[in-house]
Amino acid sequence: MTRITRNTVVFLLITLLFMLAGAATVRYLNERELHDSLALDSRWIRDDIESLLRRYEHGLRGTRGAILAIGADDLSREKLLRYMDSRDLAQEFPWAGGFGFIRHVPLAALPAYEKKMREDHLLFSGIRQLADNPGDRYVIEYIEPLAPNRPALGLDIASSPERRSAADHAMLTGRAELTTPIRLVQKEQRTANAYLFLLPIYAGSVTPPTMEQRQERILGWAYAPLSVHDILSELSRRWNMHSLEILVEDVASNTTAVELFRSGGFDQIEDAVSLQTAVPLYGRAWKLSIRAAPEYAQAHQFISDRATLLSSITLAMLILWGWPIRFSPPVNASCRKPVPCWLPWWTARPTPSSPPMPGD
């Protein structure tokens, strides 16, 4: 093998290594940029969900304030409706199912409550139960707007273990609490992907300092029914504009995860770059899975595919023009003149020397 050929091979190998290293670097930078963008957008989506739930909590606090101002014993639909009409529920609390009052009825006070229920001509004729409940009753007494929520009136949520557990925990902690995923009685749902959002109300207006005092002074709960699938469907319209597909699951229970929402294109991009993050919410834990559509991946690159392709073509043309580079100028054996080393390979060939003329 000649020296020129050896130098050419070395040059080509070095060039190939640099090209491979460059391609690997570009791929790494693009993947890191994509993951960083997904992480940033996941925080944005998580903040979107948390902000909406906090807004609903403010609605519960307003409802609790109105009930305490009216007085739990003097509460009527007309008085509560006067407060509700002062708020623009659709604008202030979009996609919430409404706001209402659940009364705590001790078992010993049940006969008196049923008598008062008949005398006051409440909008329900009796207490309904989802299962047998031998203990205290937690009765849905008022809810606005009334028309879509009428089937829930008179329901004893303590007859449902999922609902009672959240109500008891809210009562003992003094904080707002979400139930486990349930089916709302006022909506026809095939899957349990809704919640009751509960905020305890105590006699004396302030939250008692101890759990024993909270149990003694509990009057009931301000509550809101939330159809999470409907809420997330509305929010996802904004997320889909950014070419993101979403899956939200409730993973706080000891049972299998409960799917709350799955966007339409989530299953169509199974091999896409994805990210998972936890969203703790009022006693629940949601898992947020995000997949980037091809358009998202294309828009969030450190170096675009077009720039990479153009650079590769340019480099290939330069190599083709300059191959092979002469590391030392070869010398023609006959005329002893160096061949220009900067010429490309198709012009840098030595020309045969002419035979000497007679007499030279």
Side-chain angles (χ1 to χ4, degrees):
M1 180 179 293
T2 66
R3 183 182 177 187
I4 295 176
T5 305
R6 186 165 54 248
N7 288 341
T8 301
V9 171
V10 171
F11 169 75
L12 291 177
L13 288 176
I14 293 175
T15 303
L16 180 60
L17 288 175
F18 272 108
M19 291 182 67
L20 292 176
T25 301
V26 169
R27 180 177 180 181
Y28 168 75
L29 291 174
N30 283 343
E31 289 179 352
R32 189 178 69 176
E33 179 71 16
L34 182 56
H35 280 89
D36 289 347
S37 299
L38 270 182
L40 185 64
D41 284 335
S42 72
R43 288 194 293 271
W44 164 60
I45 293 174
R46 184 181 61 193
D47 291 344
D48 222 10
I49 296 173
E50 291 175 346
S51 176
L52 189 60
L53 267 292
R54 281 195 299 269
R55 186 183 297 188
Y56 295 155
E57 183 186 2
H58 294 327
L60 291 177
R61 292 184 180 277
T63 303
R64 180 173 68 177
I67 293 170
L68 288 172
I70 296 168
D73 294 334
D74 298 325
L75 189 63
S76 66
R77 181 175 183 247
E78 290 72 21
K79 294 177 180 178
L80 186 60
L81 188 59
R82 195 176 305 135
Y83 165 76
M84 295 295 181
D85 286 344
S86 70
R87 310 292 298 264
D88 188 346
L89 297 182
Q91 181 67 28
E92 293 183 68
F93 313 104
W95 317 306
F99 291 92
F101 174 58
I102 299 174
R103 186 180 295 274
H104 175 258
V105 183
L107 189 60
L110 184 59
Y113 178 76
E114 291 177 337
K115 178 181 178 182
K116 184 176 184 296
M117 182 176 59
R118 291 189 295 270
E119 292 175 351
D120 291 350
H121 303 289
L122 296 180
L123 295 175
F124 54 96
S125 57
I127 298 174
R128 296 182 296 108
Q129 295 184 329
L130 299 175
D132 184 49
N133 173 27
D136 295 350
R137 309 298 199 259
Y138 304 168
V139 184
I140 298 179
E141 203 168 272
Y142 299 104
I143 177 71
E144 293 295 338
L146 177 61
N149 292 295
R150 185 180 286 272
L153 289 176
L155 178 66
D156 172 24
I157 70 166
S159 64
S160 165
E162 299 84 4
R163 294 168 172 83
R164 180 175 189 127
S165 176
D168 288 343
H169 196 266
M171 172 182 62
L172 294 175
T173 61
R175 297 192 297 265
E177 190 87 6
L178 288 169
T179 63
T180 58
I182 60 172
R183 292 182 178 88
L184 296 175
V185 297
Q186 62 264 49
K187 294 179 71 71
E188 294 183 2
Q189 294 175 304
R190 289 176 292 180
T191 57
N193 55 11
Y195 295 88
L196 297 186
F197 202 7
L198 304 161
L199 183 69
I201 304 174
Y202 303 99
S205 302
V206 298
T207 301
T210 67
M211 287 190 292
E212 291 77 11
Q213 291 174 333
R214 292 168 191 164
Q215 287 178 298
E216 293 172 358
R217 299 183 188 178
I218 186 70
L219 296 175
W221 297 262
Y223 95 104
L226 303 178
S227 179
V228 176
H229 186 274
D230 295 342
I231 293 171
L232 295 179
S233 294
E234 295 294 335
L235 288 177
S236 69
R237 295 181 182 179
R238 214 169 11 174
W239 307 334
N240 289 342
M241 291 175 61
H242 295 265
S243 302
L244 294 171
E245 300 296 338
I246 310 295
L247 171 65
V248 183
E249 298 172 294
D250 186 300
V251 295
S253 305
N254 295 327
T255 57
T256 56
V258 178
E259 181 179 312
L260 302 176
F261 175 77
R262 182 189 297 264
S263 59
F266 187 83
D267 293 330
Q268 300 173 9
I269 50 174
E270 294 183 359
D271 298 331
V273 177
S274 62
L275 182 70
Q276 294 183 348
T277 184
V279 186
L281 288 169
Y282 298 98
R284 307 304 304 165
W286 289 3
K287 184 175 74 172
L288 176 64
S289 302
I290 307 173
R291 288 180 179 174
E295 298 82 4
Y296 183 93
Q298 189 69 29
H300 293 80
Q301 291 183 330
F302 186 81
I303 301 177
S304 67
D305 291 340
R306 289 184 178 180
T308 303
L309 179 61
L310 182 61
S311 300
S312 300
I313 293 175
T314 302
L315 182 59
M317 291 179 65
L318 289 174
I319 294 174
L320 181 63
W321 182 82
W323 181 79
I325 293 178
R326 310 300 178 89
F327 289 92
S328 61
V331 179
N332 187 293
S334 301
C335 65
R336 310 300 296 176
K337 293 182 179 179
V339 179
C341 62
W342 52 267
L343 293 177
W345 61 273
W346 58 80
T347 60
R349 298 182 180 277
T351 56
S353 59
S354 300
M357 298 295 294
D360 287 350

